Amino acid sequence: MAKLESGRLMLESEIPAFVDAVIETGCDICAIGHDCYVLGDLEEMDAAADELERIDDKFGDRDFLLLEIVAYLRSMGRYLDPGSPAKHWTENGKIH
């Protein structure tokens, strides 16, 4: 995805809407550890490229909210910890 040119910054209060929008594209967004997240696997992201670009345009830059997004995803149970035997976030037991 291209870097944002709008200058808009995502608000912390928009994190739930952002996550919901990504999920609606078919991407399986989840946190990795406590300081990273992925929108989904490459196939999901390729299939949803246009929609993900619209989400970027709508919400703006979110890099500075990385830890807050990760915390939100973890609170939903959407996370994988490095070294964990879980192969998918749904194996954590808390599914949303």
Side-chain angles (χ1 to χ4, degrees), residues 10-11 14 19 27-29 51 57 62-63 70 78 83:
M10 188 166 104
L11 302 173
E14 294 177 307
V19 169
C27 290
D28 202 13
I29 188 172
E51 295 162 55
D57 292 343
R62 61 186 178 274
D63 291 345
V70 168
R78 285 183 163 269

Side-chain angles (χ1 to χ4, degrees), residues 2-93:
K3 198 70 174 158
L4 297 171
E5 300 296 326
S6 71
R8 184 190 189 289
L9 298 177
M10 188 166 104
L11 302 173
E12 186 172 352
S13 62
E14 294 177 307
I15 292 172
F18 165 74
V19 169
D20 287 345
V22 172
I23 292 168
E24 288 174 15
T25 70
C27 290
D28 202 13
I29 188 172
C30 77
I32 307 297
H34 290 272
D35 59 2
C36 186
Y37 72 93
V38 294
L39 296 177
D41 66 29
L42 292 177
E43 292 83 16
E44 292 169 348
M45 291 173 59
D46 275 349
D50 291 341
E51 295 162 55
L52 291 173
E53 189 170 328
R54 281 191 288 278
I55 290 169
D56 275 347
D57 292 343
K58 178 180 179 179
F59 290 100
D61 181 25
R62 61 186 178 274
D63 291 345
F64 67 101
L65 292 172
L66 173 69
L67 296 178
E68 290 85 352
I69 294 169
V70 168
Y72 180 74
L73 290 167
R74 291 184 69 86
S75 77
M76 296 176 69
R78 285 183 163 269
Y79 67 91
L80 283 173
D81 286 323
S84 166
K87 295 190 186 307
H88 191 267
W89 65 264
T90 56
E91 296 175 21
N92 290 325

